[in-house]
Structures are given as C-alpha cells and as structure tokens.
Amino acid sequence: MKPVIERVFDAILRIDEHLSLKFLSDTGTRWFGSAVPEPGTSMLDFVHEDDRAQLESEVSQKSEAFSLFIRLLADGETRWTCLRATRMDIINQYMICVLDISEFKVQDSSLVHAAEHDALTKLPNRVRITDVINDHIYETTSSFYVALLDLDGFKKVNDTMGHHAGDIVLVETAKRLNKCIDKRLDLAARLGGDEFVLVIGGTDDPDRPNAILKKVLFALSRPYDTEPYSAYIGCSIGVAHFPGNGSTCADLLKNADAAMYFSK
C-alpha cells in the first residue's frame, strides 16, 4: 500500500537550493506522464514561465515553508497546481507536495464568467461593465464615452410576437453591436431588459464615437428575422463623456440615461 501522503498528492518531489530535482515519487512519475523530468533537471524547466519568479523567490529566501499556486508542464499540457513546500535543513533541500487543481480552476473561471456575463446575449452584464468603466476612470490617461441604448418598439415585439421573438431580437442586437465596435478599445454590454451600453475608448476625438453610433443606428434599423414575420425596431441613444459629464461610473450612467430620454 502506498504511503498516505502519496495517496493524497499527485506528485512528491525534492529539489535543492539551486532548484535541481533530486527525487520524484512513483505517483509523480505517472502524473508527469510523457514529460517525466530526469534527476538533475532544473524545476524551472517544467514550471510555466510566468510563474517561475514566485518559486525562485521563495527558495532564494530559504523560507521554512511556503505554498504556491503555479502552473506546471506535465504530460504535454499546462496544469494548475497547489505546491506545499517544506525546507529540510539537514540535507538543504525542499520537499514539495503537488496537488493538481486544474479542474477546480476551470470551474472557478466558468463561475466568474457566468457572474459577469448576461446568460441570454453572452454580453458583459452590469457587474462587468461597472468594473470596466471604473478601470477606465482610474487607469486611462485619455477620455472615453459611455453610450446608453434603449430599443424602441421592443415591448411591442414582446407583446405581439411573444418572448421567444423578443429573445431573438436581444441576441441579434448583441451581435450587431459587437460588429460596430473595435473590441480592442470598446465594449458592448447589456444592462438588463432592452437596455444596452457601449464604452467607447481610446480617443479624445468625438468623431470616432459619432461614427460608431451612426453605424449602430443603421445596424439596429435593419429588420430582425423573427419568423414568420420580421420585426422592426430602432433605438434611442444617450452619451456621456468622461471627464466632462461625470467622474464616477454612477454619474456617467446617470447622465447617459438622462441624455437618452431627452433624445426620445
């Protein structure tokens, strides 16, 4: 029977103060699969390049014990792991227990994505757009624009053609908005109901947001294929400029909302 520690962890290894591999458990040999490191190999050779500095720092400081969440290269793929390391002073080495947490990382990323995106349109939701606007406020050196959009005639589609047709309109609207923007600089999101928002960044020139919003008006004026009939809607748009129309996310959304209702 394997020792308990080998039944709990996916791999156990020892490295010296120079990060040279001195020992790898049988379970570790199986876990690494086709990429089993040989004795004497530097551990950095199978640590993801973005995570190497963390490991080097702990070992160079001769920490008595440490835990790290880093990526290791094993069996032809990159795996997220939790490392638990304990210094063995007598032989001047570290014993490192490796636990593969890749599955939990994937689940965690999925949960974060779900919390920040609208389930129907797959666009970022109010939570995500608030973070993005705040990031622009505190990190950008240029101005940006927040445009609030309300679909005109959407309630009539829902009432006369049913919620299925309404969902088709919302999903198609999301696709059309994404085609009107440069995703490297801008972001389209759904606030809720038939309200959408655009964050237009990367410029102090008002001609760029004007050009984008003209494309949006044209794109949303085209008929929507809601079989057996087509749906026709338009949109009202209100725009707020940072820093001219507000210095906080709440102010920008409030002023864009006021401008939108003034345009109706």
Side-chain angles (χ1 to χ4, degrees), residues 79-264:
R79 297 179 181 176
W80 273 102
T81 64
C82 173
L83 302 189
R84 302 290 299 273
T86 304
R87 183 174 173 79
M88 307 169 71
D89 290 323
I90 296 177
I91 58 176
N92 202 24
Q93 294 181 6
Y94 279 95
M95 181 177 74
I96 299 177
C97 299
V98 180
L99 185 63
D100 190 333
I101 60 170
S102 300
E103 182 178 347
F104 301 105
K105 272 287 184 179
V106 170
Q107 291 176 354
D108 185 53
S109 297
S110 298
L111 289 173
V112 171
H113 186 274
E116 295 182 337
H117 289 76
D118 175 56
L120 177 64
T121 64
K122 311 306 179 187
L123 288 179
N125 61 15
R126 183 182 290 272
V127 172
R128 179 61 185 146
I129 202 66
T130 299
D131 288 342
V132 169
I133 292 174
N134 284 329
D135 287 345
H136 274 67
I137 290 171
Y138 296 116
E139 297 177 8
T140 190
T141 57
S142 62
S143 63
F144 64 94
Y145 297 80
V146 175
L148 199 62
L149 292 73
D150 183 78
L151 302 183
D152 298 331
F154 177 75
K155 185 177 184 301
K156 184 177 180 180
V157 172
N158 254 348
D159 291 345
T160 60
M161 303 175 70
H163 290 289
H164 176 67
D167 287 348
I168 291 174
V169 168
L170 292 173
V171 172
E172 179 61 22
T173 295
K175 294 176 181 178
R176 295 183 187 185
L177 289 177
N178 272 330
K179 289 180 180 178
C180 292
I181 63 174
D182 183 342
K183 291 185 180 180
R184 297 169 299 177
L185 302 173
D186 315 316
L187 185 71
R190 183 187 178 200
L191 286 185
D194 61 347
E195 284 192 331
F196 294 81
V197 64
L198 300 179
V199 177
I200 303 171
T203 182
D204 292 314
D205 180 5
D207 289 340
R208 182 171 182 272
N210 285 340
I212 290 174
L213 296 177
K214 284 180 181 178
K215 288 196 293 183
V216 168
L217 287 170
F218 176 75
L220 301 190
S221 68
R222 301 196 332 260
Y224 287 77
D225 185 11
T226 50
E227 295 182 353
Y229 309 106
S230 293
Y232 292 85
I233 63 171
C235 75
S236 299
I237 303 177
V239 181
H241 169 252
F242 174 85
N245 301 128
S247 58
T248 68
C249 176
D251 285 344
L252 290 168
L253 289 173
K254 180 181 71 175
N255 290 330
D257 188 55
M260 179 185 70
Y261 278 98
F262 182 78
S263 71
K264 283 183 176 291

Side-chain angles (χ1 to χ4, degrees), residues 11-45:
I12 299 169
L13 51 91
R14 291 201 317 268
I15 59 170
D16 64 17
E17 59 185 347
H18 304 296
L19 300 170
S20 178
L21 181 66
K22 297 300 182 182
F23 167 81
L24 179 65
S25 64
D26 290 340
T27 52
T29 298
R30 288 189 289 274
W31 183 75
F32 276 101
S34 60
V36 178
E38 296 291 333
T41 300
S42 172
M43 187 172 176
L44 296 182
D45 289 348

